[in-house]
């Protein structure tokens, strides 16, 4: 089962605005008529019930949306690049992958049809038709299209189970799951029979919950050994655990401690999850023979351990009843202390503007200004006054003057090139 994928998404860049002038037979100096570029396509993730796994995203990792078309003469607007839609299973969590740790949540797609834009297409550049002013009737500038966003994205499919059934391989997890639910996992006398989490619905009187067998937990699972690492993540999302132990193992209490160590090495929160301990296979003669000794060793380690046989059904009803009770109290305490999820979009800090020279052009690097130039339509005189004010506010004017800019010099920032001042 593929429950997690990391992909790289690149939205389409905006099409370029163009420089063009009207040409008509009897009009010697036609005005500027360069059209705008179209916006680039976004990359959108949509939850779809028809999709059941993230497998495809493991196979194909790079996605690119279409670029916006360039503008054309006669004020022709370039066509918008088409959005690229990625369909994912309902229950998929979408995160930005952060290079410095602390991935940030973009969206939790819990309902069919819910969607999130994971990379925004670049805006199309403005054609020179926008740049005519009373003093400049033949503007020779046009904006380039903005680059499309590129992001590394993590897709994670939530396994929506209330209770995780954990334990070493071959302890009888599948046998227990089959005994208490309609699930039909494969059961065999060798480890790693179950290779992906299996869900079953358990009914206890009027109540019911979803129990998931979490396979393949072994020593070193937190390092990726066995199958454990992939599925430890699922445990994070469960409300509580049933920890099943093989009563016929050489040291059952030690097994329990080992598995718990694995959990806490993966994520200390896992070790804090409410846990019910059940020692299985008590129908076996050799286990029966040392039942008293087992009770003693577990009494020392946990407040209450269950002694059950998934095969014969002994003790199972009590274990399930206690699970339902514990879930109820876990739900109550969770409702009390729930912390709202924060959606966090990392923003680059504002940086001091830098100026360098490329030939005769002064090139300004100032992220805040670049965002502004990408959005602002400079045609109206009022806006261009506003633009000049922003240049001062952001320290760009000062930086340019320090670099020796003179009236008439050309200055470029982002996609916009203009004449100083
Ligand atoms: N005698 C006895 N055997 C059991 C009991 N529960 C499970 N078994 C046996 O133990 C073996 C493993 O059982 P599974 O249910 O496949 O164990 P599992 O924990 O799901 O194992 P994996 O999925 O391979 O990790 C099988 O041969 C079962 O028949 C029990 O209560 N008593
Ligand atoms: Mg199994």
């Amino acid at each position: 089962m593929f429950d997690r994928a990391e992909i790289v998404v690149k939205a389409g860049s905006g099409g370029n605005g163009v420089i063009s002038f009207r040409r008509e037979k009897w009009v010697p100096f036609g005005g500027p008529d360069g059209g705008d570029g179209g916006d680039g396509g976004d990359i959108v993730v949509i939850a779809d019930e028809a999709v059941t796994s993230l497998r495809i995203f493991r196979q194909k990792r790079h996605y690119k949306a279409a670029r916006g078309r360039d503008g054309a003469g006669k004020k022709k607007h370039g066509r918008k690049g088409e959005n690229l839609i990625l369909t994912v299973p309902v229950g998929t969590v979408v995160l930005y992958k952060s290079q410095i740790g602390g991935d940030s949540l973009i969206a939790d797609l819990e309902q069919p049809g819910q969607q999130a834009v994971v990379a925004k297409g670049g805006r199309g550049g403005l054609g020179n038709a926008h740049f005519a002013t009373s003093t400049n009737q033949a503007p020779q500038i046009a904006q380039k299209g903005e680059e499309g966003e590129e992001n590394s994205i993590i897709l994670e499919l939530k396994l929506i189970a209330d209770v995780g059934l954990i334990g070493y391989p071959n302890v009888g997890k599948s046998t227990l799951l089959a005994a208490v639910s309609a699930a039909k996992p494969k059961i065999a006398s060798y480890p790693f029979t179950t290779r992906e989490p299996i869900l079953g619905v358990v009914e206890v009187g009027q109540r019911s919950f979803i129990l998931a067998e979490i396979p393949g937990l072994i020593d070193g699972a937190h390092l990726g050994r066995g199958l454990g690492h992939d599925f430890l993540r699922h445990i994070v999302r469960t409300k509580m655990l049933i920890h099943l132990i093989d009563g016929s193992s050489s040291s059952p209490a030690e097994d329990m401690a080992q598995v718990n160590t694995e959990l806490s090495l993966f994520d200390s929160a896992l070790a804090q999850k409410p846990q019910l301990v059940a020692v299985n296979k008590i129908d076996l003669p050799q286990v029966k023979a040392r039942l008293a000794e087992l009770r003693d060793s577990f009494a020392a380690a946990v407040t209450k351990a269950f002694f059950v046989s998934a095969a014969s059904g002994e003790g199972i009803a009590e274990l399930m009843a206690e699970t339902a009770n514990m879930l109820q109290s876990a739900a109550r305490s969770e409702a009390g202390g729930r912390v709202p999820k924060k959606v966090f979009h990392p923003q680059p800090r504002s940086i001091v503007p830098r100026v360098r020279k490329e030939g005769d052009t002064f090139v300004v690097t100032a992220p805040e200004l670049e965002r502004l130039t990408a959005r602002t339509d400079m045609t109206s005189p009022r806006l261009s006054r506003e633009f000049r004010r922003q240049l001062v506010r952001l320290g760009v004017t000062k930086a340019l003057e320090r670099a020796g800019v003179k009236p008439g010099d050309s200055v470029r920032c982002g996609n916009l090139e203009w004449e100083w001042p």
Side-chain angles (χ1 to χ4, degrees):
M1 174 163 150
F2 296 102
D3 64 318
R4 183 186 151 103
E6 286 187 24
I7 57 173
V8 177
V9 290
K10 169 99 171 71
S13 297
N16 297 327
V18 296
I19 297 172
S20 158
F21 295 93
R22 210 161 62 225
R23 282 170 215 282
E24 280 164 53
K25 224 168 179 178
W26 307 110
V27 186
F29 299 105
D33 71 350
D36 305 342
D39 295 343
D42 300 334
I43 299 198
V44 185
V45 176
I46 299 185
D48 185 335
E49 276 174 313
V51 183
T52 54
S53 96
L54 294 169
R55 191 178 305 242
I56 180 167
F57 297 105
R58 285 277 187 101
Q59 286 153 6
K60 179 169 164 21
R61 294 203 48 235
H62 290 261
Y63 295 87
K64 223 175 145 183
R67 186 178 178 281
R69 296 290 195 81
D70 292 345
K74 298 189 181 159
K75 293 197 183 168
K76 268 198 204 123
H77 207 289
R79 194 186 306 158
K80 182 184 180 323
E82 219 171 302
N83 289 349
L84 181 65
I85 310 277
L86 307 178
T87 51
V88 297
V90 176
T92 299
V93 176
V94 189
L95 306 119
Y96 281 125
K97 185 176 169 60
S98 160
Q99 303 305 330
I100 49 167
D103 303 325
S104 52
L105 181 71
I106 299 173
D108 202 339
L109 305 176
E110 285 175 313
Q111 304 290 332
Q114 277 188 340
Q115 50 178 278
V117 175
V118 293
K120 185 101 193 77
R123 296 179 64 123
L126 297 175
N128 71 337
H130 283 271
F131 295 93
T133 60
S134 54
T135 51
N136 185 1
Q137 302 281 349
Q140 289 288 345
I141 56 169
Q143 284 179 330
K144 282 209 191 98
E146 215 178 44
E147 274 280 302
E149 257 178 17
E150 177 165 354
N151 291 316
S152 290
I153 298 295
I154 300 167
L155 301 171
E156 244 181 51
L157 182 55
K158 269 198 286 195
L159 181 75
I160 307 167
D162 303 297
V163 183
L165 178 54
I166 61 162
Y168 273 137
N170 215 38
V171 298
K173 299 182 295 295
S174 297
T175 310
L176 177 62
L177 184 67
V180 297
S181 76
K184 293 194 175 31
K186 188 173 166 201
I187 295 167
S189 59
Y190 50 84
F192 301 116
T193 312
T194 309
R195 306 199 66 90
E196 56 188 58
I198 299 179
L199 306 182
V201 179
V202 182
E203 281 171 13
V204 180
Q206 298 296 309
R207 298 173 292 182
S208 75
F209 57 85
I210 297 173
L211 178 65
E213 174 179 0
I214 309 292
L217 251 178
I218 57 168
D219 296 346
H222 74 282
L223 300 172
R225 251 170 250 150
L227 304 166
H229 192 263
D230 271 350
F231 304 123
L232 280 168
R233 258 195 312 280
H234 288 311
I235 313 179
V236 175
R237 303 196 186 278
T238 60
K239 301 189 184 89
M240 62 168 285
L241 304 173
I242 294 177
H243 189 158
L244 201 61
I245 291 143
D246 189 340
S248 68
S249 129
S250 56
S251 49
E254 226 164 83
D255 292 353
M256 177 184 71
Q258 286 283 349
V259 169
N260 281 336
T261 304
E262 274 311 312
L263 295 186
S264 55
L265 285 174
F266 180 75
D267 181 344
S268 60
L270 278 186
Q272 308 300 320
K273 241 175 230 302
Q275 201 179 88
L276 280 181
V277 172
V279 179
N280 190 30
K281 307 194 185 179
I282 58 165
D283 59 292
L284 291 172
Q286 74 266 34
V287 181
K288 257 194 197 124
R290 60 170 180 161
L291 208 51
E293 174 209 325
L294 284 175
R295 280 185 197 282
D296 283 349
S297 65
F298 278 91
V302 291
T303 41
K304 180 171 164 60
F306 289 77
F307 290 85
V308 303
S309 165
S312 76
E314 195 180 342
I316 297 298
E318 292 84 346
L319 176 63
M320 291 302 124
E322 182 58 24
T323 304
N325 288 340
M326 210 157 154
L327 265 180
Q328 248 175 0
S329 51
R332 266 196 297 274
S333 62
E334 192 189 325
R338 186 174 292 159
V339 185
K341 262 189 201 147
K342 195 178 165 211
V343 180
F344 177 64
H345 299 279
Q347 288 280 333
R349 283 160 180 262
S350 71
I351 298 166
V352 189
R354 284 175 205 286
V355 177
R356 71 189 142 81
K357 268 193 103 170
E358 264 177 29
D360 286 338
T361 309
F362 289 81
V363 180
V364 182
T365 321
E368 266 199 75
L369 183 65
E370 276 160 43
R371 274 197 290 279
L372 199 75
T373 54
R375 307 255 157 90
T376 320
D377 173 356
M378 315 288 254
T379 46
S380 101
R382 223 197 64 210
L383 266 178
S384 78
R385 250 199 319 277
E386 170 61 23
F387 180 67
R388 240 160 260 151
R389 258 203 298 280
Q390 295 294 341
L391 291 181
V392 175
R393 183 182 74 86
L394 297 170
V396 174
T397 305
K398 204 174 259 168
L400 277 165
E401 282 168 353
R402 228 179 290 130
V405 75
K406 283 182 214 51
D409 285 342
S410 73
V411 176
R412 190 170 78 227
C413 179
N415 301 320
L416 185 73
E417 195 164 334
W418 72 97
E419 207 173 81
W420 192 253

